[in-house]
Amino acid sequence: DIQLTQSPSFLSASVGDRVKITCRASQDISSSLAWYQQKAGEAPKLLIYAASTLQSGVPSRFSGSGSRTDFTLTIGSLQPEDFATYYCQHLNSFPLTFGGGTKVEIK
Amino acid sequence: QVQLVQSGAEMKRPGASVKVSCKASGYIFTSYYIHWVRQAPGQGLEWMGIINPSGDSTTYAQKFRGRLSMTTDTSTSTAYMELSSLKSDDTAVYYCARAGLHNVADHWGQGTLVTAST
């Protein structure tokens, strides 16, 4: 099975900060990676797929980059509504595992 | 708009089975696979498996094989997830999600809390 390691697992930041979350795969997954945002008590929401394609309706301050084993989710200017937990997921082969999550909290 | 509406919370004894439904609307049900994902209290997301809309092809995560069954009913655009031999650590919120382009989970149900406890 492919393992995904996210870092950091916890991040404290201020409104307006530029934030980067990384996701490392245990083997080459090409660009088969998605990012989700989950707020407390809610279902996850798709942000980015195919490593860098922004899902329709998602603000442009979110961006994704990377390929093969190393990926990054960047939030260009953190907004109050962005405080949440973020997960990566690979879609290369079954099982489609998730990373452990990164909780972004207000500094 | 695309909607996935799941059945309500369930409380079961260890050893019992639970069946969660996921009714789809706003799109052609037979054109998209359905994922099932769970989340234990305070924990991360765990992918359980995927089913094609006609119900004749499933892939389950290894840890659930033997006690997980996914089915569909195309006449009602509903997907089902049944987990048997429940243990206390099966207590979680269970989500269905539509598998869109590249198999990404692009629309999610609201989640169903399943509690396995004596």
Side-chain angles (χ1 to χ4, degrees):
Chain A
D1 295 0
I2 296 171
Q3 311 301 318
L4 296 179
T5 304
Q6 280 185 241
S7 61
S9 53
F10 176 87
L11 188 159
S12 182
S14 301
V15 172
D17 284 353
R18 184 180 181 87
V19 166
K20 291 193 173 189
I21 298 168
T22 65
C23 179
R24 175 162 288 176
S26 59
Q27 62 190 72
D28 186 345
I29 59 169
S30 184
S31 297
S32 299
L33 190 94
W35 290 96
Y36 302 89
Q37 176 193 65
Q38 187 180 33
K39 298 181 181 178
E42 298 183 7
K45 172 188 171 184
L46 175 65
L47 298 176
I48 285 167
Y49 61 93
S52 60
T53 302
L54 199 65
Q55 172 71 349
S56 175
V58 174
S60 59
R61 62 181 179 274
F62 291 93
S63 63
S65 63
S67 65
R68 302 187 66 179
T69 60
D70 292 295
F71 302 86
T72 301
L73 172 70
T74 301
I75 308 172
S77 176
L78 201 63
Q79 297 302 299
E81 60 269 29
D82 301 337
F83 291 95
T85 301
Y86 295 84
Y87 295 93
C88 58
Q89 182 194 27
H90 84 82
L91 298 124
N92 185 71
S93 59
F94 297 124
L96 307 181
T97 50
F98 289 90
T102 297
K103 187 172 185 179
V104 178
E105 290 200 342
I106 301 173
K107 195 172 192 177
Chain B
Q1 73 283 20
V2 174
Q3 276 196 304
L4 298 169
V5 178
Q6 298 183 223
S7 48
E10 301 263 14
M11 184 166 287
K12 297 289 183 180
R13 300 290 191 202
S17 297
V18 68
K19 191 170 186 177
V20 177
S21 67
C22 170
K23 183 170 178 58
S25 62
Y27 72 96
I28 299 171
F29 181 74
T30 51
S31 295
Y32 295 85
Y33 283 51
I34 294 284
H35 293 284
W36 287 92
V37 174
R38 76 177 186 179
Q39 185 170 39
Q43 302 302 308
L45 301 171
E46 181 175 30
W47 184 81
M48 299 179 70
I50 190 169
I51 184 167
N52 77 334
S54 61
D56 58 3
S57 175
T58 55
T59 301
Y60 301 143
Q62 174 70 38
K63 72 176 287 185
F64 299 108
R65 285 178 201 165
R67 64 187 192 104
L68 175 62
S69 175
M70 295 180 185
T71 56
T72 63
D73 181 345
T74 55
S75 69
T76 59
S77 300
T78 303
Y80 298 91
M81 184 283 301
E82 185 170 20
L83 190 62
S84 61
S85 302
L86 287 171
K87 301 170 281 187
S88 58
D89 61 4
D90 290 318
T91 294
V93 175
Y94 289 76
Y95 294 101
C96 62
R98 190 183 80 164
L101 192 62
H102 302 290
N103 256 346
V104 291
D106 62 0
H107 290 87
W108 293 65
Q110 83 275 20
T112 297
L113 175 62
V114 174
T115 304
S117 173
T118 54

